[in-house]
Amino acid sequence: MRIRTATNYGLVFIIVIIYIPIFLLTDFDFSIQEDVMGFWIMIVVGSIITLYMLVASIKNYYLFEEKELFYVMGFKKVRIPYEAISEVRVSYNPVSSPAMTMRRIEIISSYWSKKLFSLPARKDQALFKKELKKHCPRATIDLSKIEK
């Protein structure tokens, strides 16, 4: 079962648009070879960031498979076996992991200490909780703050 994640398009817009003032405020002198190279480096880096953010905002979902939870955010793919999941809760830590929202779902498993993922889309939150409880009956699942 595929469940889309929430995407904060305002956050995506800010991250992509912040590149424009940096680019415009840089004083390039195209008669100097280093400035021409710097210009092209800024174009390439900005294009990569923009492409990544666009792909991540479009291709962003959870997939409940037979034996594992599959999370996709752009080019990033994570597989988590259900038996490895020990705890699931809401987190407000924006620094530790890339996600398309400021509130995230923290999954603690036996494979690693914890990972943060985007929240499911509002319309799919109840279904996400139901599927998670069905596939991970031994895990502690506290998603009570998800509706706020």
Side-chain angles (χ1 to χ4, degrees):
M1 173 168 298
R2 185 175 170 163
I3 296 177
R4 293 230 359 116
T5 60
T7 301
N8 185 340
Y9 290 106
L11 181 64
V12 173
F13 180 73
I14 289 170
I15 291 172
V16 170
I17 209 77
I18 201 164
Y19 176 72
I20 293 172
I22 293 171
F23 181 74
L24 293 176
L25 294 174
T26 305
D27 184 28
F28 290 109
D29 182 2
F30 292 105
S31 63
I32 301 172
Q33 183 66 30
E34 290 81 18
D35 278 3
V36 173
M37 182 61 80
F39 170 79
W40 286 110
I41 289 172
M42 283 187 71
I43 293 291
V44 168
V45 168
S47 299
I48 290 170
I49 291 170
T50 302
L51 176 67
Y52 178 78
M53 293 303 292
L54 290 174
V55 170
S57 64
I58 294 168
K59 190 177 174 184
N60 197 1
Y61 59 89
Y62 291 97
L63 187 60
F64 285 92
E65 294 181 337
E66 188 177 326
K67 296 190 183 266
E68 60 193 2
L69 176 64
F70 186 53
Y71 173 73
V72 176
M73 185 187 101
F75 302 112
K76 177 184 175 183
K77 295 173 177 62
V78 179
R79 292 186 179 273
I80 310 165
Y82 295 127
E83 67 270 1
I85 297 173
S86 60
E87 187 175 353
V88 181
R89 62 183 175 218
V90 176
S91 174
Y92 295 94
N93 186 354
V95 181
S96 17
S97 182
M100 301 309 285
T101 58
M102 294 303 283
R103 282 189 304 155
R104 292 130 190 254
I105 291 181
E106 180 178 18
I107 298 178
I108 300 170
S109 81
S110 59
Y111 284 17
W112 57 75
S113 60
K114 64 182 174 179
K115 291 262 186 190
L116 295 170
F117 303 105
S118 297
L119 291 174
R122 278 190 201 273
K123 65 178 183 163
D124 294 334
Q125 288 177 355
L127 181 61
F128 179 80
K129 286 183 203 178
K130 179 182 158 198
E131 287 293 316
L132 201 57
K133 287 178 182 178
K134 181 175 89 175
H135 289 289
C136 307
R138 290 175 281 181
T140 305
I141 300 171
D142 179 20
L143 298 175
S144 57
K145 298 177 185 173
I146 204 170
E147 287 92 11
K148 292 183 180 178

